[in-house]
Amino acid sequence: MGSESERRLPRISPREFRDFEVQLDLDGITLTGKLGNISEEGLCYLGEDDMLSDELNNTVLGTILWSLGNKRMFFEGKVVWTQTAVIRGVEYFLAGIQFSEKLNLTDSMLARSLEI
């Protein structure tokens, strides 16, 4: 039991998270992308450059920015998978980042951020 219910591919719902930006710090280079989805355990990063496929199992520092206001959340995590996907006609480079420590994401915080 369980193997059938596990996701083979990440759920991509960037429309829900269009008000978020994710910045990753890679050896002094800042990558800026979109948030595909997020949980307490990790997030899916959507970038337009293939910079993360060489970073598998490497630790990255990042920031999630709310475009509606000045909220930001810092995280540290490890790149656990990468893949490419075409979303609404645009090719994105996706990366799954597993947080080093669970983030304390409250439903109300996410709901507030996504309201507008």
Side-chain angles (χ1 to χ4, degrees):
M1 196 170 130
S3 63
E4 284 305 311
S5 62
E6 284 176 34
R7 299 198 311 264
R8 302 226 186 298
L9 289 172
R11 290 180 313 234
I12 302 298
S13 48
R15 191 173 286 140
E16 294 170 37
F17 295 112
R18 65 181 176 272
D19 295 323
F20 293 86
E21 182 177 288
V22 178
Q23 292 179 345
L24 299 178
D25 184 7
L26 283 187
D27 301 326
I29 301 169
T30 300
L31 299 185
T32 301
K34 296 180 169 61
L35 182 61
N37 58 41
I38 189 169
S39 71
E40 292 181 339
E41 309 271 335
L43 62 79
C44 172
Y45 170 87
L46 282 69
E48 296 185 16
D49 302 301
D50 183 17
M51 300 281 288
L52 292 172
S53 53
D54 294 336
E55 300 292 329
L56 274 179
N57 296 315
N58 287 356
T59 298
V60 292
L61 297 175
T63 311
I64 302 166
L65 300 163
W66 278 250
S67 62
L68 316 164
N70 302 324
K71 274 205 229 166
R72 59 182 54 208
M73 181 180 285
F74 298 97
F75 64 88
E76 177 181 306
K78 186 169 70 171
V79 179
V80 289
W81 57 261
T82 61
Q83 71 180 60
T84 57
V86 176
I87 301 170
R88 292 193 292 286
V90 179
E91 185 178 35
Y92 285 98
F93 296 93
L94 280 53
I97 297 173
Q98 182 177 14
F99 298 139
S100 303
E101 294 177 18
K102 280 190 181 180
L103 284 193
N104 183 12
L105 293 181
T106 63
D107 292 340
S108 61
M109 182 180 95
L110 272 178
R112 267 204 312 275
S113 319
L114 301 174
E115 273 175 317
I116 298 178

